[in-house]
Structure formats: C-alpha cells, structure tokens
Amino acid sequence: MKTIYSAIQPSGIMTLGNYIGAVNNWRTMQSDGDNKCIFALADLHTITVRQQPEQFNKNCWSFYALLLAVGLDPKKSIVYLQSHVKEHCELAWLLNCYTYVGEMNRMTQFKDKSAKHADNINMGLMDYPVLMAADILLYDTDLVPVGYDQLQHIEITRDIALRINNIYGDIFKVPDGFIPKVGAKIMSLQDPTSKMSKSDTNPNAVISCLDTPDVIMKKFKRAVTDSDTTIAYDPQNKAGISNLLGILAVAQGKTIEETLKDCEGFRYGDLKVRVGESVIEMLRPFQEEYNRLIEAKDYLTACAKEGAEKAREIAENTLKRFKEALGYIL
Ligand code: AQP
C-alpha cells in the first residue's frame, strides 16, 4: 500500500490549474484501493502572504468544501486542515535545524514571492519549504502528487529526510514527487508563458473553478494565442495553443494526440469554443456538489474534525520517533 499526501492552500480562488494539476488527480489516486490518501488544506502556509481574517476564514470553508466536492471522500481518505494538527509546526521547527539558509535562498518560489510581496518578505515565506517538508514527512509519504511548480520543494524535502536519516538511521520515509502526464502546468490565459496562478491580478488570465459557464466561455474566447493559424502541440513555440490543447485533453479525458485529431480542420476560434464547452461540462457536477456542500457547515465541521483526529494519530507517532532519536525526554 502506498501513502499519497498532498495539500492546497486556501488562498484566493481554486483555479483550473489547481483542479487539473492537483485535486482532480488526487481523486483518481483515491479510487485506487492500494493507496492510503491524505489530503490537507495548507492553511498555515497561506499566511506567508498577508490575509484579511474574514476573507481568509471564508476561503478556508470554501476550499474545504471544494475538496469534498471534487470527490475526496472523508470515509476513504483523510481530508483535514493543517492548522488542526499542531505536529506540523513542531516538526517544522525541528527540521529547520537541519536545513541551511542557503538552500532556502535558492528556492524559486521564495524568490518569486519575495519579488511579488517586497513589503512583506517574512520568515514564513522563506521557511515555506520546511513546513511543506514537515507536512509530507509526518505521514510516511511515498508519493506527493503536485504540479511542476512544486517539484523543487519535493527535492528539498528529500534532501532534508536523507540528511536526517544519514545521521540518526531510518527516521523518515523519503518521498517521490508525482507529476501528471498532462496538465502539470496549466498556463495563464493572458500570458501563456507563465503559470495560471491564484493571485494573478488579471481575472481574464485565470479560470476559477467556480466561474459561471458564461464567464468561462468568455475567458477562453479571449485567451491569448499567436498570429499563426496552425493547431499544433508545441509548448515552446505555440504556448497559448498548446495550453488550450492540454486543458481540452484533460477535460475530455483524452491524450494530446487524440485531441489533435479531434481538432483537425479547426480554426483557433473553434478550438477556444470547444475548450470552453468541455471545461464547463467537466466542472458542472463539481460546481453543483460545491453549492450543496457550502451550505452544510455542520457536515463540513464534522468531516474536518474526523480528518484531523485521524491525521494526528499518524503525525504523533512520526514526531515521537524523531524526537526519541534526537534524545528528547518524552
Ligand atoms: N497552473 C497550475 N498548473 C498545474 N498545477 C498547478 N498547481 C498550482 N498552479 C498550477 C498545483 O496546485 C497545487 C496546490 O497549489 P498551492 O495551493 O500550493 O498554490 P498555488 O496554486 O501554486 O499557488 P499560486 O497559484 O502560486 O497562488 P498564489 O498566487 O496565492 O501564490 C500544487 O500541487 C500546485 O503544484
């Protein structure tokens, strides 16, 4: 049995990038009976960027409901809030003492976010990968399904785990990243050379999973492509069209080759409409379930509580193992 662990931050909106690159794959992995799945709302990570408390609270509820709406089943998987399991912070502190400042300085996300939030380059922002390492290592994780942007953080998690195992013996399982074949990096609809990001200030660049069908179609129709007319999958030279083809492939459950065949004879406008329609259909049942769940606060609360209890049981054991090895009196 493999342990699968991943998390998403409740920051802003859940984007189509998060859906395709992350949570939709989590659902698929959950349906494999050989997997033990643990999914978290990474709400401690979110405050590395300043949040407005009321909105943040709303986002936490919303994202938890989104996770269940996508099909994560609290009876099959552990679905919990990171802040409900205090072991994450304690392990992060211990791991900090085995992580070098130079390593953190090199992290691409830290550099990007420092540039974006120059007035708030806080320690949490720099320490983000160590907290993420704690998240993953607490659960003896085998596989971490993530988009491309998180690969560097998986690498540092492995480095920290190996470093500690080399000193104290087999304390942590060394995890592998798992990148989906298609959709690991959904790009902005307005600048297809950069990833679709929750915090993009241009709403036309990002599809929210909760956008209405009209809005989704409008955004795809406005998607930036190129001045050519050929539909081909070539992310280097035709970033916009390739992005649309990747999204269409996932939305239709087909390969890129099959999708290209489907689009033979299409003009760019036809492709945009087909992507829009397919994404609307893909998100329809998910949106309906979300609308039902977001009204069911008692149910969400009960699921989150149960998830945290199950998560804590595992986390406590791992932390104890490490503290014992370090020589702490327990
Ligand atoms: N564009 C994307 N394509 C594919 N996968 C993506 N992921 C994110 N964007 C894309 C994957 O979604 C998971 C959760 O991401 P996160 O919560 O760590 O944060 P984020 O969405 O990556 O954050 P942003 O968009 O950069 O948000 P802000 O703007 O708030 O900083 C991860 O597995 C990630 O790989």
Side-chain angles (χ1 to χ4, degrees):
M1 181 168 269
K2 280 202 180 335
T3 299
I4 313 291
Y5 185 93
S6 202
I8 183 164
Q9 294 186 68
S11 52
I13 51 166
M14 186 185 280
T15 70
L16 187 64
N18 297 136
Y19 184 89
I20 290 179
V23 295
N24 197 39
N25 298 316
W26 302 357
R27 182 175 51 83
T28 314
M29 293 175 117
Q30 171 189 256
S31 59
D32 182 339
D34 282 341
N35 291 336
K36 171 174 155 191
C37 293
I38 308 171
F39 302 117
L41 205 59
D43 53 353
L44 294 170
H45 280 94
T46 311
I47 63 160
T48 53
V49 173
R50 198 77 76 226
Q51 303 291 316
Q52 197 279 326
E54 248 173 60
Q55 187 59 47
F56 176 53
N57 183 269
K58 233 172 148 184
N59 287 347
C60 290
W61 284 111
S62 173
F63 268 75
Y64 193 74
L66 285 165
L67 290 185
L68 300 196
V70 85
L72 303 185
D73 177 351
K75 294 285 166 228
K76 288 188 190 155
S77 300
I78 298 178
V79 190
Y80 73 105
L81 276 72
Q82 182 190 29
S83 63
H84 289 180
V85 180
K86 62 183 183 345
E87 282 74 11
H88 288 253
C89 290
E90 191 172 349
L91 182 60
W93 174 256
L94 299 178
L95 299 183
N96 268 330
C97 302
Y98 295 83
T99 308
Y100 300 107
V101 172
E103 290 176 311
M104 295 297 99
N105 259 327
R106 283 197 294 276
M107 294 289 115
T108 313
Q109 181 178 288
F110 173 60
K111 288 193 255 183
D112 288 351
K113 292 215 165 161
S114 299
K116 258 193 202 167
H117 305 281
D119 56 339
N120 183 22
I121 307 177
N122 59 71
M123 281 307 297
L125 199 58
M126 189 181 201
D127 208 23
Y128 183 112
V130 180
L131 180 58
M132 181 165 160
D135 301 340
I136 296 167
L137 297 179
L138 273 176
Y139 298 95
D140 291 331
T141 302
D142 293 287
L143 276 185
V144 190
V146 284
Y148 268 122
D149 59 321
Q150 292 295 334
L151 263 191
Q152 200 182 27
H153 292 164
I154 306 292
E155 276 310 309
I156 197 74
T157 300
R158 289 172 56 85
D159 291 348
I160 297 170
L162 286 167
R163 186 172 299 152
I164 290 169
N165 288 352
N166 279 335
I167 307 173
Y168 302 102
D170 255 357
I171 305 295
F172 294 118
K173 186 168 267 182
V174 182
D176 284 308
F178 174 84
I179 299 287
K181 282 201 185 82
V182 186
K185 195 169 185 185
I186 301 297
M187 310 308 272
S188 153
L189 296 186
Q190 291 300 308
D191 171 13
T193 58
S194 55
K195 89 162 185 159
M196 186 179 284
S197 172
K198 286 183 191 124
S199 61
D200 201 314
T201 48
N202 180 352
N204 287 324
V206 182
I207 302 281
S208 157
C209 289
L210 297 176
D211 276 343
T212 61
D214 280 358
V215 170
I216 293 174
M217 186 57 86
K218 223 179 263 166
K219 287 181 180 178
F220 276 116
K221 282 186 175 168
R222 285 185 191 152
V224 169
T225 48
D226 52 52
S227 51
D228 194 10
T229 53
T230 320
I231 294 184
Y233 189 75
D234 177 358
Q236 288 295 324
N237 301 307
K238 295 179 76 70
I241 288 295
S242 302
N243 191 35
L244 294 179
L245 285 168
I247 294 171
L248 182 57
V250 174
Q252 295 189 332
K254 293 186 175 176
T255 63
I256 293 287
E257 291 70 29
E258 289 166 338
T259 306
L260 277 168
K261 262 214 177 102
D262 287 349
C263 297
E264 263 170 22
F266 272 25
R267 287 166 303 183
Y268 282 5
D270 303 324
L271 173 63
K272 288 177 178 181
V273 170
R274 175 64 67 86
V275 183
E277 287 167 350
S278 304
V279 168
I280 290 165
E281 280 318 305
M282 176 176 74
L283 293 180
R284 192 187 302 281
F286 163 71
Q287 293 187 346
E288 284 169 3
E289 183 61 358
Y290 171 81
N291 290 334
R292 192 183 69 78
L293 284 167
I294 197 63
E295 298 301 328
K297 283 271 163 61
D298 289 350
Y299 175 70
L300 296 178
T301 306
C303 291
K305 187 166 176 278
E306 190 186 342
E309 278 162 13
K310 289 186 192 160
R312 203 174 300 124
E313 219 171 279
I314 307 170
E316 272 169 358
N317 274 327
T318 315
L319 186 64
K320 185 164 167 260
R321 187 164 77 223
F322 186 33
K323 285 175 78 174
E324 236 162 23
L326 289 174
Y328 280 101
I329 298 172
L330 299 177

